[in-house]
Amino acid sequence: MEAETQEKASVMQRVKGWLDKIGNTISSVGKEAKRLAKEDPRRVVHAFKVGLAISATSLLYYFDFFFAGFGVNAMWAVMTVVVVFEFSVGATLGKGVNRAIATLLGGALGMAAHDLADLTPEKVEVVLIGLSICVIAGVATFCRFFPKIRARYDYGFLVFILTFSLISVSGYRADVVFDMAHRRLTTILIGGCVAVLICIFVRPVWAGKDLHRYTAANIEKLGCYLESFGSAYFKESHDKNLAPLRDFKTVLISKGTEDSLVNFARWEPRHGKFRYRHPWDQYLKIGSATRECAYKIDALNCYLNSDAQTPLELRTKIQAFCTTISSKCSLALIDVAIGLRTMTCPLSSEKHIMDAKAAAKTLKALLKTELWHDTEFLDIIPVVTVASLLIEIVTCTVKIADSVEVLATKVKFKKPKPEMNRQASREKVKRIPSIEASHSVNIVFE
Amino acid sequence: MEAETQEKASVMQRVKGWLDKIGNTISSVGKEAKRLAKEDPRRVVHAFKVGLAISATSLLYYFDFFFAGFGVNAMWAVMTVVVVFEFSVGATLGKGVNRAIATLLGGALGMAAHDLADLTPEKVEVVLIGLSICVIAGVATFCRFFPKIRARYDYGFLVFILTFSLISVSGYRADVVFDMAHRRLTTILIGGCVAVLICIFVRPVWAGKDLHRYTAANIEKLGCYLESFGSAYFKESHDKNLAPLRDFKTVLISKGTEDSLVNFARWEPRHGKFRYRHPWDQYLKIGSATRECAYKIDALNCYLNSDAQTPLELRTKIQAFCTTISSKCSLALIDVAIGLRTMTCPLSSEKHIMDAKAAAKTLKALLKTELWHDTEFLDIIPVVTVASLLIEIVTCTVKIADSVEVLATKVKFKKPKPEMNRQASREKVKRIPSIEASHSVNIVFE
């Protein structure tokens, strides 16, 4: 009796444990979902847009008027919407255009292959169709390795292979190949149009705009690092707050996101402040200059936590100049970032850069003198390296400013209005949703 | 008359110009294709495999035995092959498994939705189905933003939405929803199996193996850089050959490729020397240590081309130690790379690292002395920075060696056989095909 009660109790306990676990999992998934939605509310809108687009297309199936025309082929429309609908307008348009053109070409070629094979006896026909599929699919697959094709038309080649195979294979069976190809093309066009229209007209997400903000935010991150570097480096190690000094790390691995966004942006029509032939390639150059600067900052960052430190009293001898350089570079970068973000000519970055250059020159001259006369050489190395890295960062800052300047000239940035509150713009740059995570960029988040 | 002849001549010339242009384009495309095929012959094999797989599946359409069972649904098999077949086994398996499970779940849920809606009057049914599609597609789309899902199950969720929509939408029309769902699942399974089997058994490309080689090659690239750095830096600038010193740049942006390959490799069964639960995550750690070292080398690289140089006669004072450090680190890295590549314990890296550490220690001590007593401080800064970067690179080398060591312990690397020709292995590492470009990793090649 007692054993039974005990057993019952233990079973109850185990069940309770399971229930707790399930409850925990559900609540943690819920929390994560809430976080994702808060981080970038456009995700929720996107999910809703996809649902809406699919429901709308499914009406093709429902209304007799359409169904009489398309029959089961109407499913291609639903399928197209599901596959083509991406987070940004550029990605959706790129996929849609690729799919439409590839379907057209694949269908035409498939019909040609079918008609050719039709002229021969049946046994030969089968071999011919099989062979043509093998050869054309093989060649098209190989073409997907061409770097230029892979960058922009990869999906198109996939759909081409698909359509060609489907149409020419149907030749084994149906003699209504033309009808099938025609219906497939029409339904895909309808599906693609629904996807593209909903994507553009319901709260659109422009990859170009995001690329623009992403580039500005990356420059800003470097600026923020340099803003706090000066004060952090010339302090005793125990009262350092290093948390804001870690943001810049994501800039180091920004290349993939940037490439994808540029790729998407190229497909987009003019929108907002971005005209039709906006020089998207220039963003790659700005990004590469930004990353170069980030590598230097990464080197600099090592000296914050390094064990081999120059004693603080020796460091203070060049504190003024180092702090000036880092704060002036920081001001310049932030000004450039705000200018880029708001598409206005940077107001004061030139002045800050001049100041930074002057400070760098003085620092160089100072290092020439017998500054640390009677100290051990080794003690000075870290601080000298920091100083020379800072001097290099001035050069990098100039490079970033120049590459943004090139963009400003090409796009004709406006003069900022005097009443514009730049601090408010800065806050805006900071509160940028996490762009890497929203666009479909293949990154393993560790 | 003359005018006519002239016009004719000019037309002829223009036509000739066009023909030349077309000829040039064709020949350059041909050259590019040849280069791509030579760079990685597996690309040609892959293209052939895809053609073969599609042709094989198209037989489902041809033979009456199959066609009687599947009807037009047989096209799903062809479609699955086209969509699922990827360059590596891991990517193919990942997509195949995702597609199969998602079709099963999506089909089941779609049928449930259809059956539920069937209980209500027709008008309500339509609304119910439309609503359920909108809600479920929306929720599934939102789920695709979860980082963990995006990394491994993104494609599965897409197919889930697709299948669910197709099946429940068919409910408007056909009352044979179950048959349709069943056929779709079967044909997709057949297509997936054909793709996976051909991918695995005809000259397989293992993402895991490529990841392994890629990681080793990246370490090797750093080693090669350090091998030639010493001699390049202590030479007058005009006789420098900097070409082999640029290879390492690709290591800086290796994160995306690595992430994708790890992702693919996780799907692969045991193959070659890689067992079922091979610690793929450790490669991410090795890669991150390698990149850290590459950032330092990038900083070092600036001093090769910099204008601000320490005069050569001053540089030579520490030449011996710098050269020792860079060559010993180089030897250690190359040894580690060969060890990783051949999955044998590195033979001599420990000794080389000890030597490098010793040289670094002596260099540090040397810098403490009044080495450049009566020279300008500023002249010395570059060489001192180079020296301290080299000292840091020793630490990075140790980190890389340690992370490979962890892998070696987990996987139980063998002792190398004495007769193994390590130089030959090295040549093998060098002739590695360009892995970034072969696997479907989204990179814009500039």
Side-chain angles (χ1 to χ4, degrees):
Chain A
M1 186 71 185
E2 202 169 286
E4 208 172 278
T5 329
Q6 263 190 358
E7 202 175 300
K8 248 187 192 169
S10 93
V11 165
M12 284 296 283
Q13 215 156 18
R14 226 179 298 159
V15 168
K16 205 173 157 256
W18 287 337
L19 286 181
D20 277 358
K21 241 186 202 169
I22 294 173
N24 281 343
T25 313
I26 291 177
S27 85
S28 72
V29 167
K31 263 183 210 157
E32 174 76 355
K34 216 172 165 185
R35 188 187 68 75
L36 287 171
K38 214 174 169 186
E39 189 181 69
D40 190 352
R42 300 177 302 173
R43 290 171 181 156
V44 182
V45 178
H46 172 69
F48 175 73
K49 276 156 73 181
V50 173
L52 183 72
I54 299 177
S55 293
T57 325
S58 76
L59 292 180
L60 280 186
Y61 243 76
Y62 176 66
F63 288 116
D64 291 322
F65 171 72
F66 294 116
F67 195 78
F70 298 128
V72 277
N73 283 303
M75 76 179 166
W76 293 113
V78 177
M79 208 159 160
T80 304
V81 171
V82 176
V83 175
V84 158
F85 213 119
E86 293 277 337
F87 188 65
S88 66
V89 175
T92 309
L93 259 176
K95 265 191 153 177
V97 170
N98 263 309
R99 192 175 170 97
I101 295 178
T103 304
L104 184 66
L105 292 181
L109 204 64
M111 268 165 46
H114 170 251
D115 287 353
L116 257 179
D118 231 13
L119 300 174
T120 58
E122 205 203 306
K123 292 275 161 194
V124 184
E125 186 185 344
V126 174
V127 176
L128 266 186
I129 290 184
L131 214 65
S132 73
I133 290 179
C134 186
V135 170
I136 291 199
V139 170
T141 304
F142 186 77
C143 285
R144 290 174 68 196
F145 287 114
F146 281 76
K148 274 181 195 165
I149 289 176
R150 158 158 298 173
R152 295 198 72 185
Y153 308 108
D154 194 52
Y155 183 65
F157 272 72
L158 189 80
V159 173
F160 170 81
I161 301 173
L162 194 66
T163 308
F164 175 77
S165 313
L166 287 188
I167 300 290
S168 58
V169 145
S170 312
Y172 288 152
R173 288 287 155 185
D175 287 322
V176 284
V177 179
F178 176 76
D179 267 14
M180 182 177 163
H182 176 245
R183 277 185 195 154
R184 188 173 144 85
L185 183 62
T186 323
T187 45
I188 282 182
L189 282 180
I190 293 177
C193 286
V194 170
V196 167
L197 289 180
I198 290 188
C199 193
I200 291 187
F201 290 107
V202 183
R203 296 269 223 116
V205 174
W206 301 101
K209 206 174 159 193
D210 271 14
L211 170 65
H212 190 82
R213 280 161 35 177
Y214 185 64
T215 311
N218 279 346
I219 297 177
E220 166 107 9
K221 275 178 194 164
L222 303 188
C224 288
Y225 181 90
L226 290 175
E227 193 173 34
S228 25
F229 174 79
S231 59
Y233 184 66
F234 292 101
K235 242 187 219 167
E236 277 305 342
S237 56
H238 46 81
D239 32 76
K240 276 176 195 168
N241 174 18
L242 298 179
L245 294 167
R246 244 169 251 134
D247 272 353
F248 85 97
K249 288 263 179 197
T250 53
V251 181
L252 294 171
I253 49 168
S254 59
K255 173 128 180 77
T257 308
E258 233 169 63
D259 283 352
S260 303
L261 285 177
V262 168
N263 235 341
F264 297 155
R266 285 207 189 109
W267 289 103
E268 290 178 350
R270 66 180 291 163
H271 54 92
K273 292 171 181 168
F274 307 96
R275 283 169 312 158
Y276 171 53
R277 281 186 174 279
H278 195 78
W280 297 118
D281 283 333
Q282 187 61 28
Y283 288 86
L284 290 177
K285 285 180 194 154
I286 299 175
S288 138
T290 310
R291 265 192 304 284
E292 210 174 289
C293 188
Y295 296 149
K296 303 267 183 238
I297 287 184
D298 193 45
L300 199 62
N301 193 43
C302 298
Y303 288 92
L304 272 187
N305 317 306
S306 164
D307 297 329
Q309 287 285 24
T310 306
L312 201 58
E313 63 273 18
L314 297 181
R315 271 186 253 169
T316 46
K317 288 202 181 174
I318 55 166
Q319 174 168 7
F321 296 98
C322 287
T323 317
T324 308
I325 293 180
S326 91
S327 75
K328 289 295 170 182
C329 282
S330 152
L331 285 172
L333 285 174
I334 290 175
D335 196 54
V336 165
I338 293 176
L340 182 59
R341 170 88 173 72
T342 56
M343 291 183 115
T344 52
C345 298
L347 269 183
S348 46
S349 67
E350 228 163 290
K351 198 183 143 289
H352 292 312
I353 286 178
M354 295 270 279
D355 290 349
K357 273 184 180 167
K361 211 174 165 189
T362 326
L363 180 59
K364 264 189 197 171
L366 189 66
L367 290 175
K368 273 191 196 175
T369 62
E370 301 271 311
L371 190 59
W372 296 282
H373 192 62
D374 40 0
T375 44
E376 276 203 31
F377 197 75
L378 192 68
D379 274 346
I380 321 171
I381 295 175
V383 78
V384 171
T385 315
V386 165
S388 64
L389 277 170
L390 280 172
I391 292 170
E392 280 168 35
I393 284 174
V394 176
T395 321
C396 287
T397 306
V398 173
K399 248 192 199 169
I400 296 176
D402 284 352
S403 58
V404 173
E405 178 79 36
V406 173
L407 184 74
T409 318
K410 280 186 183 166
V411 184
K412 299 192 187 101
F413 277 13
K414 281 183 206 135
K415 287 254 147 43
K417 284 174 198 146
E419 73 272 18
M420 199 180 82
N421 187 341
R422 290 181 86 79
Q423 195 52 40
S425 312
R426 184 170 171 199
E427 291 306 315
K428 251 189 192 167
V429 178
K430 270 190 174 168
R431 263 185 284 107
I432 193 169
S434 108
I435 289 174
E436 295 103 322
S438 285
H439 290 270
S440 193
V441 181
N442 211 355
I443 289 181
V444 180
F445 294 89
E446 284 150 310
Chain B
M1 186 73 181
E2 204 170 281
E4 208 173 278
T5 331
Q6 264 191 356
E7 202 176 301
K8 247 188 192 170
S10 92
V11 167
M12 286 294 285
Q13 217 158 15
R14 226 180 299 160
V15 169
K16 208 174 153 257
W18 288 339
L19 287 180
D20 277 358
K21 239 184 203 170
I22 294 173
N24 281 342
T25 312
I26 291 177
S27 85
S28 72
V29 167
K31 262 183 210 158
E32 173 75 356
K34 216 172 164 186
R35 187 188 69 74
L36 286 172
K38 215 173 167 187
E39 190 182 69
D40 191 352
R42 300 178 302 174
R43 288 171 182 158
V44 183
V45 178
H46 171 68
F48 176 72
K49 276 157 71 180
V50 173
L52 184 72
I54 299 177
S55 295
T57 324
S58 76
L59 291 180
L60 280 187
Y61 244 75
Y62 178 64
F63 288 116
D64 291 322
F65 170 70
F66 294 117
F67 195 78
F70 299 128
V72 276
N73 283 304
M75 75 180 168
W76 293 113
V78 178
M79 207 158 161
T80 304
V81 172
V82 176
V83 175
V84 159
F85 212 119
E86 292 277 337
F87 188 66
S88 65
V89 175
T92 309
L93 260 176
K95 264 190 154 178
V97 170
N98 261 309
R99 193 176 168 93
I101 294 178
T103 305
L104 184 65
L105 292 182
L109 205 61
M111 268 164 45
H114 171 250
D115 287 353
L116 257 180
D118 231 13
L119 301 174
T120 57
E122 206 202 306
K123 292 276 162 194
V124 184
E125 186 184 346
V126 174
V127 176
L128 265 186
I129 291 185
L131 213 66
S132 74
I133 290 179
C134 187
V135 170
I136 291 199
V139 170
T141 303
F142 185 76
C143 285
R144 290 174 69 196
F145 288 113
F146 281 76
K148 274 181 195 163
I149 289 177
R150 158 158 297 173
R152 294 198 74 184
Y153 306 107
D154 193 51
Y155 184 65
F157 271 73
L158 189 78
V159 173
F160 170 81
I161 300 173
L162 195 65
T163 308
F164 174 77
S165 313
L166 288 188
I167 299 291
S168 57
V169 146
S170 311
Y172 288 150
R173 289 287 155 184
D175 286 323
V176 285
V177 179
F178 177 75
D179 266 15
M180 182 178 163
H182 177 245
R183 278 186 194 154
R184 186 173 146 85
L185 184 60
T186 322
T187 46
I188 281 182
L189 282 180
I190 293 177
C193 286
V194 171
V196 167
L197 289 178
I198 291 190
C199 193
I200 291 186
F201 291 107
V202 183
R203 298 268 225 114
V205 174
W206 300 101
K209 206 173 159 192
D210 272 14
L211 170 65
H212 190 82
R213 280 161 37 179
Y214 184 65
T215 311
N218 279 345
I219 297 176
E220 167 107 8
K221 275 179 193 164
L222 302 188
C224 288
Y225 181 92
L226 290 175
E227 193 173 35
S228 24
F229 173 79
S231 60
Y233 184 66
F234 293 101
K235 242 187 217 167
E236 277 304 341
S237 57
H238 47 80
D239 31 77
K240 276 177 195 168
N241 174 16
L242 297 179
L245 293 168
R246 245 170 249 134
D247 272 354
F248 85 96
K249 288 262 179 197
T250 53
V251 181
L252 293 172
I253 49 167
S254 59
K255 172 129 181 80
T257 309
E258 233 170 63
D259 283 350
S260 302
L261 286 175
V262 168
N263 234 341
F264 297 155
R266 285 208 188 108
W267 289 102
E268 289 176 350
R270 65 179 291 162
H271 54 93
K273 291 171 182 167
F274 306 96
R275 282 169 313 158
Y276 172 53
R277 280 186 174 278
H278 195 77
W280 297 117
D281 282 334
Q282 186 61 29
Y283 288 86
L284 290 178
K285 285 182 193 153
I286 299 176
S288 137
T290 311
R291 265 192 305 284
E292 210 174 290
C293 188
Y295 296 149
K296 304 264 183 238
I297 287 184
D298 193 46
L300 200 61
N301 193 43
C302 297
Y303 289 91
L304 272 187
N305 316 306
S306 165
D307 298 327
Q309 287 285 24
T310 306
L312 201 58
E313 64 272 16
L314 296 181
R315 273 186 252 168
T316 47
K317 288 202 181 174
I318 57 166
Q319 174 168 8
F321 294 99
C322 286
T323 318
T324 310
I325 293 180
S326 93
S327 74
K328 289 295 171 185
C329 280
S330 153
L331 285 171
L333 285 174
I334 291 174
D335 196 56
V336 166
I338 294 176
L340 181 58
R341 170 90 172 71
T342 57
M343 289 184 116
T344 51
C345 297
L347 268 183
S348 46
S349 66
E350 228 163 290
K351 200 182 141 288
H352 293 312
I353 285 177
M354 297 268 281
D355 290 350
K357 273 185 181 166
K361 209 174 167 188
T362 327
L363 180 61
K364 263 190 198 170
L366 190 66
L367 290 175
K368 273 191 195 176
T369 63
E370 301 271 310
L371 191 57
W372 297 281
H373 190 63
D374 40 1
T375 45
E376 275 202 30
F377 198 75
L378 193 67
D379 274 344
I380 321 171
I381 295 175
V383 78
V384 171
T385 315
V386 164
S388 65
L389 277 170
L390 280 172
I391 293 172
E392 279 168 33
I393 284 173
V394 176
T395 320
C396 286
T397 307
V398 173
K399 246 190 199 171
I400 296 175
D402 285 350
S403 59
V404 173
E405 177 80 34
V406 172
L407 184 73
T409 319
K410 280 186 182 165
V411 184
K412 298 191 187 101
F413 279 13
K414 280 182 208 138
K415 285 254 147 42
K417 284 174 199 148
E419 72 271 17
M420 198 180 81
N421 186 341
R422 289 181 86 81
Q423 194 52 38
S425 312
R426 184 173 169 193
E427 292 305 314
K428 251 191 193 164
V429 178
K430 269 191 174 169
R431 264 185 284 110
I432 191 170
S434 103
I435 288 174
E436 294 103 323
S438 285
H439 290 270
S440 193
V441 181
N442 210 356
I443 289 180
V444 179
F445 294 90
E446 284 151 310

